[in-house]
């Protein structure tokens, strides 16, 4: 018998070059943005702060979003997309102010979505990606001895600044 992994989900992982030189600029701009937009939008964030859309329009974040566009272009190439019209259409900041801060499961529209961790305090939570192909009601879940990226209903990824 041969195992044929079907419908796999690719996740690309990368680090922003020159992050050390940009970190303080990003932190300062994030602080300013929050001061100017103090009310959390609360789309998926619980007990923390979620900014309105638009971080990608701030000039100081250009190095980040230029890199994101370059990575999106590479992802399109990896997936053999016919047409590529890379555009960043939304971006926001989530700030976990306390140990009770989190984001609910949610789905992003459009083709790709990404996460950039500006700060990762010790013992921070993990990024949890849900595999909707594994039905939580499926009886086979309780028979799986060890969860892997191919049989788990979710995978947790350790964040890195």
């Amino acid at each position: 018998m041969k195992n044929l992994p079907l419908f796999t989900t690719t996740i690309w992982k990368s680090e922003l070059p020159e992050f050390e030189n940009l970190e303080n600029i990003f932190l300062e701009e994030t602080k300013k943005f929050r001061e100017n937009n103090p009310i959390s939008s609360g789309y998926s964030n619980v007990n923390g702060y979620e900014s309105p859309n638009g971080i990608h329009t701030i000039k100081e974040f250009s190095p980040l979003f230029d890199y994101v566009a370059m990575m999106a272009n590479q992802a399109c190439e990896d997936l053999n997309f016919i047409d590529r019209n890379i555009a960043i259409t939304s971006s926001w900041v989530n700030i976990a102010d306390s140990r009770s801060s989190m984001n609910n499961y949610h789905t992003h529209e459009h083709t790709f979505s990404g996460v950039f961790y500006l700060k990762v305090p010790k013992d921070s939570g993990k990024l949890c990606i849900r595999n909707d192909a594994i039905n939580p009601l499926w009886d086979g879940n309780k028979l799986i001895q060890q969860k892997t990226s191919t049989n788990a209903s979710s995978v947790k990824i350790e964040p890195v600044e």
Side-chain angles (χ1 to χ4, degrees):
M1 178 165 55
K2 185 174 182 177
N3 183 340
L4 298 172
L6 297 175
F7 313 120
T8 59
T9 300
T10 302
I11 295 179
W12 291 266
K13 186 175 179 180
S14 182
E15 293 185 18
L16 177 66
E18 303 292 325
F19 174 66
E20 301 80 27
N21 300 331
L22 298 166
E23 180 179 12
N24 288 332
I25 295 167
F26 291 169
L27 286 168
E28 186 59 35
E29 289 304 314
T30 299
K31 182 180 174 185
K32 280 189 220 173
F33 195 82
R34 184 176 186 181
E35 287 170 357
N36 292 329
N37 302 277
I39 298 172
S40 180
S41 66
Y43 174 72
S44 69
N45 191 283
V46 177
N47 297 326
Y49 174 75
E50 184 172 9
S51 78
N53 180 19
I55 297 294
H56 62 288
T57 63
I58 298 172
K59 175 183 65 140
E60 288 78 8
F61 284 106
S62 291
L64 170 61
F65 291 105
D66 289 346
Y67 185 72
V68 168
M70 187 173 70
M71 293 297 98
N73 191 56
Q74 180 61 53
C76 289
E77 188 172 314
D78 292 350
L79 293 170
N80 296 313
F81 279 17
I82 297 166
D83 188 19
R84 296 183 204 164
N85 185 10
I86 305 297
I88 296 172
T89 57
S90 60
S91 61
W92 59 94
V93 170
N94 279 306
I95 299 174
D97 295 304
S98 71
R99 298 292 297 157
S100 66
S101 297
M102 61 171 275
N103 284 75
N104 286 322
Y105 279 120
H106 59 279
T107 301
H108 293 217
E109 60 185 342
H110 303 299
T111 307
F112 296 114
S113 61
V115 179
F116 178 78
Y117 285 91
L118 182 53
K119 279 290 184 196
V120 181
K122 187 178 186 307
D123 297 325
S124 292
K126 295 178 180 169
L127 175 63
C128 187
I129 307 291
R130 186 167 56 190
N131 179 2
D132 288 331
I134 303 293
N135 182 332
L137 300 175
W138 176 51
D139 282 343
N141 283 317
K142 58 187 168 216
L143 301 174
I144 298 170
Q145 183 175 5
Q146 182 175 354
K147 304 287 187 189
T148 68
S149 62
T150 57
N151 68 16
S153 58
S154 65
V155 173
K156 293 183 180 177
I157 300 171
E158 191 73 42
V160 176
E161 289 180 8

